[in-house]
Amino acid sequence: MKQIKISSILLLVSFLLMLTGWVSAQEIPERGIFFSTEEDFITGVTPDDGNPIISDGDLLNSRGFVYMRNYDLVKRFDIKDDLGLDAADVIIEKERLVAFSTELDHPHGVFTAGDLLVTNRAIIPNAALLAGFDIPRNLDLGLDAVQFIGKTETIVECLNMISEKGPDFLRENPQALRELLKEFEIDIWFSTEGTGPWPKEPRFLDGDLLSAASGIIVARNSMLLPNTVPAGIMDRGVDFGLDAVMMAERVSERKLIRFSTEILYRKTRPWFTDGDVLRIGNGVVIPHYDLIKGFEVKAKFLGLDALSYPH
């Protein structure tokens, strides 16, 4: 009887915490969530290739398996080195069509860490993503998070066209990306690693979510995080960064945004780490450990660099 009473109290406390936004319901679908970590680690579950070393450049699934090694992502660009993984959007899971960015530049200049790459060999330069923000073409601000918006079939059609036109197409005509996105009625939501431009009136911060098609800020860092968090340089004094973003549906509805930050917050509730998955304007929906526990890793925190729902 005493045990039942304690269990009831714990359930009541959990319910009250959910109402206040301190604890949120889990949002991991049956097929898992794709992600990458900031740190390398040894998995306790043997991967299909037999290699227990997991790189911060590998794309993982929360069910406890390696979806794509970094080599599988970058080999289409004539490279065998592990360049890390900074952003990812799994466009078609079964076909392994993935849009992503790396932590490091290509050693022979094929792409930079700020370019958006696709496993069909398409390259979307950083300058093309930023074309709507009046950023100098030679200023590469990096790429930290990415989420495609629109119908999957038209996204694929657009990416195939970019691939067929070759890597110089968008390098020479950065504005052409906006025209293509509008033609196909799709968008690319993304964040950068740098702020552009400083010093007095930055157009955006590296914690803001941007739109490549319209050249606007989809959601400022201050909007992404609760009012209790001092987010937003201009509003409350701190930019928490935007390290990864994902949406269960590819529609332009901000309420569906799920993301992780560059830095943690522990002062007031709802607190979070830079490895947790957060809901826009509220608390944690997926604790970091729930993403990595399927790998039977000895550490409880490995950071978070990329996120993507299965589509």
Side-chain angles (χ1 to χ4, degrees):
M1 181 66 71
K2 185 176 181 180
Q3 187 174 13
I4 294 175
K5 186 175 181 180
I6 293 174
S7 299
S8 299
I9 293 172
L10 290 175
L11 285 172
L12 178 59
V13 170
S14 298
F15 177 70
L16 291 173
L17 289 175
M18 288 179 66
L19 289 178
T20 58
W22 298 353
V23 175
S24 300
Q26 290 297 312
E27 291 195 357
I28 299 182
E30 185 178 347
R31 289 158 59 193
I33 284 175
F34 298 105
F35 70 100
S36 70
T37 59
E38 291 184 341
E39 305 295 339
D40 302 341
F41 65 93
I42 298 291
T43 177
V45 180
T46 305
D48 290 341
D49 61 5
N51 181 8
I53 300 176
I54 304 298
S55 160
D56 63 350
D58 296 336
L59 186 55
L60 315 175
N61 186 284
S62 59
R63 293 175 63 189
F65 66 88
V66 179
Y67 175 63
M68 293 184 76
R69 291 285 188 180
N70 192 258
Y71 168 76
D72 296 318
L73 291 166
V74 302
K75 66 181 180 182
R76 293 148 177 90
F77 302 95
D78 300 320
I79 186 171
K80 296 181 180 180
D81 300 321
D82 190 320
L83 299 181
L85 186 60
D86 216 7
D89 187 356
V90 179
I91 309 296
I92 303 180
E93 179 181 355
K94 291 183 179 180
E95 296 182 13
R96 296 184 183 271
L97 181 64
V98 180
F100 66 99
S101 70
T102 57
E103 291 274 6
L104 302 174
D105 296 345
H106 190 288
H108 306 299
V110 176
F111 57 78
T112 73
D115 295 342
L116 180 59
L117 315 175
V118 188
T119 51
N120 70 347
R121 293 187 173 86
I123 298 177
I124 300 176
N126 193 257
L129 291 170
L130 292 168
F133 294 90
D134 297 323
I135 302 297
R137 287 179 57 173
N138 62 347
L139 184 60
D140 191 315
L141 294 180
L143 187 60
D144 232 6
V146 66
Q147 171 68 53
F148 276 80
I149 302 295
K151 295 180 180 179
T152 300
E153 55 268 29
T154 53
I155 292 171
V156 173
E157 190 177 351
C158 182
L159 292 177
N160 285 339
M161 178 180 291
I162 293 172
S163 178
E164 291 168 4
K165 287 181 176 292
D168 292 332
F169 168 59
L170 290 178
R171 286 199 187 100
E172 297 172 357
N173 309 281
Q175 289 288 349
L177 176 64
R178 297 185 69 194
E179 297 171 5
L180 281 175
L181 295 177
K182 291 176 182 178
E183 177 185 343
F184 285 95
E185 298 182 342
I186 64 175
D187 200 353
I188 303 172
W189 288 1
F190 68 101
S191 71
T192 59
E193 290 190 336
T195 297
W198 276 109
K200 291 185 178 180
E201 295 183 5
R203 292 293 308 276
F204 54 81
L205 304 173
D206 62 345
D208 296 337
L209 184 61
L210 314 177
S211 162
S214 60
I216 65 170
I217 298 174
V218 176
R220 292 190 180 276
N221 200 241
S222 55
M223 179 186 295
L224 291 170
L225 292 162
N227 291 331
T228 54
V229 179
I233 292 291
M234 309 307 291
D235 299 304
R236 303 195 289 272
V238 180
D239 185 80
F240 281 76
L242 183 57
D243 215 8
V245 67
M246 67 178 181
M247 298 175 71
E249 299 177 48
R250 299 188 183 280
V251 294
S252 56
E253 294 187 19
R254 286 183 297 195
K255 66 181 181 180
L256 298 178
I257 295 172
R258 303 293 182 263
F259 66 99
S260 71
T261 58
E262 289 275 5
I263 58 177
L264 56 77
Y265 183 70
R266 287 294 192 189
K267 188 174 181 180
T268 58
R269 294 180 185 272
W271 53 52
F272 54 85
T273 74
D274 51 328
D276 295 330
V277 180
L278 313 178
R279 175 194 292 123
I280 183 170
N282 206 334
V284 176
V285 289
I286 305 174
H288 177 69
Y289 187 67
D290 285 356
L291 288 176
I292 66 173
K293 65 183 180 181
F295 289 89
E296 298 180 8
V297 60
K298 294 183 178 180
K300 290 188 176 181
F301 186 82
L302 297 169
L304 197 56
D305 248 355
L307 281 172
S308 180
Y309 271 112
H311 291 282

